[in-house]
Amino acid sequence: MGQRRDDEGRTESLEKEPETDARQPGDEEAAAPVPAQASRMGQLVAGEEFSLAEAMGGWRGFLEAAAPGVVFVVAYLGWGGFRIPVIASVATVLVMVVVRLVQRSSIQQALSGVLGVALGAIWAWRSGDAGGYFVPGLWINAAYAAGTLISMAVRWPLVGIVVGLFKGWGTSWRDDPRTMRTMQWGTGIVAAVFLLRLAVQVPLYVADAIAALGTAKLAMGVPLFALSLWAVWLLVRSAAPDPAPQDPPPPTR
């Protein structure tokens, strides 16, 4: 009987269900490499359904993306200068990272905000001008606009590369004129967002309209980009390259 109980105990231990993963949603994303966020955007554009909330990183992600800029503008309106707005903005993003760490949730969204705020803070501090806080963002938008336009010019539109990758088309979409045209239009939508930001924000920067520039940057940030992704998704969701013709079967004798 004792031996049989041991056997049963061993059998039961082998048949136990695997322990549930205690990681919180988003932990995989935190442990993933840097392109994880780009991967999520690609999945949204190439997916069967589109979630505007997910495109904005969820409501918490949206608030975390907007908070440093809001704090900067409010501090600028209240105290002027550049030191207090910059310090307040940096403190805000650091608090968000600490809260994420305490909650043991993904810090990827907050860390992406840290990079943007840090670049702006360094530029503003070195230049001694509150407007310098926005200069790195203008250069980044110019670089993105140039990249998307170049991809269209060489007939490797960025949207086509992403959609082809996630839908498993490889490069076959480039051989289909209709699909190529669709991907060019989709990439054009993305490029238009970056160009529109520059068209609105550069004149405000030159005019030293800091409050208006900060407001425009917030309005044309995550919400506008999420809407552009939705427009791209509407455009490309039904696109598909024509299947390659199959070789005819060999003649039989």
Side-chain angles (χ1 to χ4, degrees):
M1 292 293 291
Q3 182 64 36
R4 191 175 64 180
R5 282 198 299 272
D6 289 342
D7 290 341
E8 288 177 357
R10 283 196 295 269
T11 302
E12 289 175 1
S13 66
L14 290 174
E15 292 179 351
K16 282 184 179 179
E17 294 183 0
E19 295 182 1
T20 55
D21 192 349
R23 292 177 295 180
Q24 299 294 324
D27 285 354
E28 296 86 350
E29 192 173 294
V34 174
Q37 188 173 3
S39 174
R40 190 182 75 234
M41 296 296 102
Q43 290 173 348
L44 284 169
V45 172
E48 296 297 325
E49 297 181 352
F50 186 88
S51 169
L52 198 59
E54 187 177 349
M56 293 191 294
W59 293 112
R60 181 175 182 177
F62 169 68
L63 292 175
E64 287 178 340
V70 171
V71 169
F72 182 92
V73 172
V74 171
Y76 178 80
L77 292 174
W79 288 274
F82 71 92
R83 287 184 175 85
I84 292 179
V86 166
I87 293 172
S89 180
V90 171
T92 300
V93 77
L94 290 179
V95 167
M96 292 189 301
V97 171
V98 170
V99 170
R100 288 272 189 174
L101 289 173
V102 170
Q103 295 177 339
R104 296 184 179 181
S105 59
S106 170
I107 62 172
Q108 185 180 18
Q109 186 82 20
L111 285 179
S112 62
V114 169
L115 179 60
V117 171
L119 289 173
I122 292 171
W123 202 293
W125 207 271
R126 289 176 63 88
S127 65
D129 177 30
Y133 182 82
F134 303 99
V135 171
L138 297 176
W139 280 110
I140 290 171
N141 277 285
Y144 284 157
T148 51
L149 291 174
I150 289 173
S151 76
M152 294 173 65
V154 299
R155 298 185 62 78
W156 279 94
L158 180 62
V159 169
I161 296 173
V162 173
V163 174
L165 175 65
F166 281 91
K167 290 198 173 186
W169 296 342
T171 60
S172 61
W173 56 273
R174 299 188 71 247
D175 299 324
D176 183 66
R178 184 182 60 180
T179 305
M180 167 64 84
R181 189 162 51 249
T182 299
M183 299 307 166
Q184 289 277 46
W185 277 106
T187 306
I189 292 174
V190 178
V193 171
F194 300 129
L195 293 172
L196 181 61
R197 287 174 179 172
L198 293 172
V200 172
Q201 295 174 26
V202 168
L204 292 175
Y205 169 74
V206 173
D208 202 28
I210 304 301
L213 175 57
T215 303
K217 181 178 175 65
L218 290 170
M220 304 180 78
V222 173
L224 179 61
F225 192 70
L227 287 174
S228 73
L229 290 180
W230 175 65
V232 172
W233 175 78
L234 288 175
L235 185 65
V236 307
R237 62 177 175 173
S238 59
D242 292 332
Q246 297 181 351
D247 295 333
T252 57
R253 294 185 179 179

